Amino acid sequence: MKPRYPWVVFVPGLLLAGLSAWMASWGDLSAIIPKFLVGFTGLFLLYVAAVIALARVRVAHRPTLIFIFAVALACRVTLLFGPPTLSNDIYRYLWEGRVIVAGHNPFALPPDAPELETLRDENYPGINHPRLETIYPPLAQGVFWIGAAVEPDLRTQKVLFVFFDMATMVMLLLLLRSRGRNVHLCAVYGWSPLVLVEFSHSGHMDSVGIFFLVLALLLLEKRATWMGFVSLALSFLAKYLAALLVPFFLFKKKYVPWLLLFGAVAVAGYLPFAGAGSGLVASLRTYGTRWEFNSLLFSVLKRVFGDPDRIHLVLFACVGAYALLQGYARKDPVKFAYRVIACSLLLSPTVYPWYIVWIVPFLCFYSSRAWLFFSGAVAASYWVWVGYPQNGVWEVGWVPLLLQYVPFYALLGHEAWRGARSKSARLRESS
């Protein structure tokens, strides 16, 4: 059956690809933040129009699916050629890959260690926090190593992360099909401007962890339990966020033994780096207690209570408690993952734009205007680049914070109210 509104899908898709290609030619985006935000807003509006249209195409239509993947790939390929100027994380990835190729341990030696002086090249000045050992888990290190071994340049690293990014889109298509959902909604992830910019342009490694998380959920859906837990452990070894899913399995007797497999894979991943000792978690501790960025909640709590260390601890405890409560109450791992990851992002003291990408795959299954809006609005946090080169202060400012969070919280509150109202109506009908 042909879709009812093909032009509403195809026109935004073509414009999305064209605008992505144009944006890739702009050069240093951090130097033209107002222009970047206008362009990103244009991408986001096209994306929303396409998502609304695709939501109405209920019957799977092969030409539409082919078009969705073609546009997703075209956008990614063009943005690969843009220099990663919004974030310098990829310089760190490349460095750590080269460190491993040279036979050193990035958990034991920070970039400014004298032992690594001979590895310094023209990319070295771009490395962030050179006094800290790596914060990235072992599987991420393995991907960095592959990129550096193949070709030690930034674009090779980006290609690897885009590979996992596109593979995630395929896994989402399969999971949507397995659940009898609208398969065209894989475009919610595949055409997301935030996903495009953070993986194809900036080259963030979160695509590795997201891929293995979605793969784990698909494997569990298919009752391939042991492979699902291996995949979940690999997600953890790429980005620690996957640990939030453990409480779900703690309350399901049939899954509890498989947590031993999860633990065994996680431990095995760290064995090649075990010589670093306390260095395995040193930078992670620093991140957990000192990092803060683009969080309205944390900024308000810090201003009111003035004790950032305690606020970090309380927010972390709240996320853990919520994960345990949801783990006890929920039976669907996909919905559990959606809720717990959303909670962790809401309460996190650090909300970089690429962190929000972790919620985007779940918007293929759960319609949320609030999170969809925030996946676009979070780009406003890049306003930090307007003042940082002059004053050296890495703070977003209250105006960009309010522009992101006030509409987001309003939409989130409205969704909660509608959900409670709907639940109350169902209870009245059943009584």
Side-chain angles (χ1 to χ4, degrees), residues 92-107 109-111 116 119 127 141 144-145 148:
R92 181 96 190 202
Y93 306 159
L94 177 59
W95 169 264
E96 292 178 0
R98 293 178 60 235
V99 166
I100 298 172
V101 169
H104 299 287
N105 187 342
F107 288 96
L109 297 172
L116 303 180
L119 295 178
I127 297 172
Q141 297 296 330
F144 303 161
W145 169 75

Side-chain angles (χ1 to χ4, degrees), residues 370 409-423:
Y409 284 140
L411 288 168
L412 205 61
H414 179 66
E415 288 177 3
W417 174 77
R418 286 187 63 182
R421 187 178 177 184
S422 177
K423 184 177 180 180

